[in-house]
Amino acid sequence: METRNAIPTDKATDFRLKVTQGNVIFVDGQETGGTSHNTVLKGFLKLQPKTLGTVQVMIGVVIFFLGVLVTTIDYNYPAILAYSGITYWGSLIYISAGSLSFAAQNKLHPNVVKSSFGMNVFSAITAGLSIILMFEQLRLITMMEPSLYVEFFILRIVGILLVFTIPQFIISIYISTFACKACSRDSTVVNVY
């Protein structure tokens, strides 16, 4: 619902944007009245996004360092993980999604929750792609000659990467689901006066 008033040209006029979301009223991005937290976002708080965001950041850091280790080794076969660079840009996406999940609980503003939702959807897609590439990399390693030590080492590292990427995928979907519920119930009314 939008309300407009006629503006006299001879007076200075202060325009303020009033956004009502659930029981909370935001004027120019600041909470001005209503309850302390939006009732719709309380369900998102039960998820503990700060804890899950911290786990996402830690997983991103571990994947980044293991990715550095994987890409520095000389291969005798096509190195899908090294060529795609998914351990680098994927870990940055995981860290970004975790940071936004952490911030969503601190700020509890609908825009931050929506940003966390979008980034976690992107993180889930990236983790799914990463899991597919890791399984393909494992398939290529197991087809090689089993006597090479480098392949056994890479096999173990890719297995560890897979162990960290699967929980990242699950956490991203879990946070996305709850953030989507919080965003879809969010009714925004903009009043300009």
Side-chain angles (χ1 to χ4, degrees), residues 100-105 107-117:
L100 279 172
S101 298
F102 189 87
Q105 185 170 349
K107 296 274 184 183
L108 200 64
H109 193 277
N111 290 337
V112 180
V113 175
K114 289 176 185 176
S115 299
S116 174
F117 165 67

Side-chain angles (χ1 to χ4, degrees), residues 15-19 26-30 189-193:
F15 289 102
R16 300 184 81 191
L17 184 63
K18 179 181 177 184
V19 180
F26 294 93
V27 175
D28 293 335
Q30 302 296 322
V189 178
V190 177
N191 294 325
V192 178
Y193 58 93

Side-chain angles (χ1 to χ4, degrees), residues 56 92-102 116 119-120 123:
Q56 283 182 308
L92 294 177
I93 291 170
Y94 305 153
I95 291 170
S96 300
S99 300
L100 279 172
S101 298
F102 189 87
S116 174
M119 198 64 194
N120 275 296
S123 174

Side-chain angles (χ1 to χ4, degrees), residues 22-192:
N23 296 3
V24 182
I25 298 171
F26 294 93
V27 175
D28 293 335
Q30 302 296 322
E31 186 176 326
T32 60
T35 60
S36 61
H37 295 295
N38 191 339
T39 55
V40 175
L41 297 179
K42 283 185 180 180
F44 184 70
L45 275 181
K46 290 180 184 177
L47 175 67
Q48 294 293 325
K50 188 183 283 189
T51 306
L52 293 175
T54 304
V55 171
Q56 283 182 308
V57 169
M58 291 171 43
I59 287 173
V61 169
V62 168
I63 288 176
F64 180 79
F65 287 122
L66 288 174
V68 169
L69 186 62
V70 165
T71 56
T72 58
I73 296 174
D74 190 25
Y75 295 96
N76 297 329
Y77 54 87
I80 296 172
L81 295 178
Y83 296 148
S84 68
I86 197 158
T87 55
Y88 294 123
W89 55 268
S91 64
L92 294 177
I93 291 170
Y94 305 153
I95 291 170
S96 300
S99 300
L100 279 172
S101 298
F102 189 87
Q105 185 170 349
N106 284 345
K107 296 274 184 183
L108 200 64
H109 193 277
N111 290 337
V112 180
V113 175
K114 289 176 185 176
S115 299
S116 174
F117 165 67
M119 198 64 194
N120 275 296
V121 167
F122 193 52
S123 174
I125 292 169
T126 304
L129 178 65
S130 182
I131 289 169
I132 292 169
L133 290 177
M134 286 179 194
F135 274 123
E136 184 62 26
Q137 186 72 58
L138 288 174
R139 189 186 66 78
L140 288 174
I141 292 171
T142 54
M143 289 176 52
M144 295 301 295
E145 224 175 277
S147 63
L148 298 173
Y149 177 74
V150 173
E151 276 72 20
F152 282 129
F153 182 71
I154 296 297
L155 183 69
R156 291 180 184 120
I157 297 295
V158 173
I160 293 170
L161 282 169
L162 196 58
V163 165
F164 281 106
T165 305
I166 291 173
Q168 172 65 33
F169 180 69
I170 294 168
I171 290 171
S172 293
I173 290 176
Y174 192 63
I175 291 176
S176 297
T177 302
F178 279 91
C180 180
K181 287 179 184 177
C183 293
S184 66
R185 293 184 197 162
D186 184 28
S187 60
T188 304
V189 178
V190 177
N191 294 325
V192 178

